[in-house]
């Protein structure tokens, strides 16, 4: 079975991130952007910018990874949680950057914390958002390497699939005999299941009809109760389609109205 990546990232990912942060920090220390060229010798500038990027890697690296996991568990859009993490992360970065800069260059003490937060937001937010998007795209396209001597994973038998469930950038494929992870997105895995009697009931769930044992209501929301005890959420946009397919009765679908 394909191993699920660590929630907080791998040691290799962190090593790459911190190496890039150091290189970019030194480069910015040399060129001195945003008027920092006049703030003393190049070594002081390089120390400052490298420190800023190191702080950013740690703060945003942790907060964004945790935000993505929280979005999956809370069933909310990932961009919403990541956006909130970036706004909070800029505040934490301000608490580090402002004292560091004021210590190196005392004349900067005249700037308020709001000024520092605005600068962190203008510089760090686009970088953090762009890097998060790029990493998600790379992980989605990543091919799992074959370990020499390891037994080959058996080919997926479409007729045995009970449901598909998104987990971060992977898809959990639940079959009659167990489960496995496949590289996402969900549409790619679904492409190999054509002709099966099933429906995509949520942006992160596809369910086979024979896997459904009942319908349960959670307030105004509906969930499909599945054979293995899982509960698949039903998106409101999918209610009419499920009702037309005979998966829901009129009384059940009225719960979302």
């Amino acid at each position: 079975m394909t191993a699920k990546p660590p929630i907080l990232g791998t040691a290799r990912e962190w090593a790459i991130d911190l190496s890039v942060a150091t290189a970019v920090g030194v480069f910015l220390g040399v060129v001195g952007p945003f008027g920092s060229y006049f703030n003393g010798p190049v070594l002081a500038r390089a120390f400052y910018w490298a420190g800023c990027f190191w702080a950013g890697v740690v703060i945003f690296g942790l907060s964004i990874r945790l935000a993505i996991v929280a979005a999956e568990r809370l069933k909310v859009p990932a961009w919403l949680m990541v956006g909130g993490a970036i706004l909070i992360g800029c505040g934490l970065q301000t608490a580090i950057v402002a004292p560091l800069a004021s210590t190196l260059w005392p004349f900067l003490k005249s700037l308020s914390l709001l000024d520092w937060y605005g600068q962190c937001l203008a510089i760090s937010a686009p970088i953090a958002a762009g890097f998060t998007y790029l990493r998600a795209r790379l992980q989605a396209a990543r091919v799992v390497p074959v370990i020499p001597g390891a037994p080959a994973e058996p080919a997926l038998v479409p007729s045995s699939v009970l449901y598909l469930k998104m987990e971060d950038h992977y898809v959990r494929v639940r079959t009659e005999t167990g489960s496995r992870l496949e590289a996402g997105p969900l549409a790619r895995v679904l492409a190999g299941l054509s002709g099966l009697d099933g429906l995509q009931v949520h942006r992160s769930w596809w369910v086979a009809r024979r896997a459904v044992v009942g319908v349960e209501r959670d307030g105004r929301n509906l969930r499909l109760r599945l054979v293995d005890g899982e509960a698949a959420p039903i998106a409101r946009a999918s209610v009419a389609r499920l009702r037309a397919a005979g998966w829901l009765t009129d009384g059940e679908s009225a719960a979302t109205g």
Side-chain angles (χ1 to χ4, degrees):
M1 182 183 298
T2 306
K4 186 175 181 179
I7 291 177
L8 296 182
T10 64
R12 181 175 181 274
E13 288 175 343
W14 283 100
I16 292 174
D17 292 351
L18 291 173
S19 298
V20 172
T22 302
V24 174
V26 171
F27 172 75
L28 293 181
V30 173
V31 300
F34 310 108
S36 63
Y37 184 82
F38 301 101
N39 294 355
V42 65
L43 288 179
R45 300 198 307 267
F47 174 79
Y48 167 74
W49 282 109
C52 290
F53 275 87
W54 270 63
V57 165
V58 174
I59 291 171
F60 296 111
L62 290 173
S63 61
I64 290 176
R65 284 179 170 92
L66 292 174
I68 292 173
V69 173
E72 173 66 23
R73 294 180 178 176
L74 297 175
K75 309 300 181 186
V76 299
W79 65 265
L80 185 63
M81 296 296 290
V82 170
I86 290 176
L87 292 177
I88 295 173
C90 286
L92 297 176
Q93 191 180 35
T94 297
I96 297 174
V97 170
L100 175 62
S102 299
T103 300
L104 291 172
W105 305 295
F107 69 90
L108 294 177
K109 292 181 179 179
S110 60
L111 295 177
S112 68
L113 286 179
L114 187 60
D115 292 329
W116 283 110
Y117 181 79
Q119 290 189 29
C120 287
L121 191 65
I123 298 172
S124 298
I127 295 175
F131 201 73
T132 301
Y133 175 79
L134 178 61
R135 170 160 285 160
R137 297 287 294 180
L138 290 175
Q139 288 180 340
R142 182 180 298 162
V143 177
V144 178
V146 177
I147 301 175
E153 192 171 24
L156 180 64
V157 180
S159 60
S160 70
V161 174
L162 298 175
Y163 61 79
L164 307 177
K165 174 188 177 184
M166 285 295 300
E167 293 185 4
D168 296 334
H169 307 298
Y170 294 83
V171 178
R172 172 74 61 184
V173 182
R174 181 69 165 89
T175 67
E176 296 170 347
T177 58
S179 68
R180 60 196 283 180
L181 287 174
E182 296 282 344
L186 184 63
R188 188 194 67 80
V189 181
L190 271 175
L193 301 178
S194 58
L196 294 184
D197 186 9
L199 292 171
Q200 185 167 352
V201 301
H202 187 271
R203 66 177 179 274
S204 58
W205 282 80
W206 178 93
V207 178
R209 183 189 291 267
R210 60 193 177 85
V212 179
V213 296
V215 180
E216 59 186 38
R217 182 180 302 181
D218 180 16
R220 294 175 59 85
N221 299 317
L222 291 175
R223 297 177 183 272
L224 295 176
R225 193 166 65 254
L226 307 179
V227 291
D228 64 345
E230 279 273 16
I234 300 175
R236 295 192 178 187
S238 300
V239 170
R241 186 157 42 88
L242 267 66
R243 184 174 64 245
W247 290 36
L248 300 174
T249 65
D250 291 337
E252 289 167 341
S253 59
T256 61

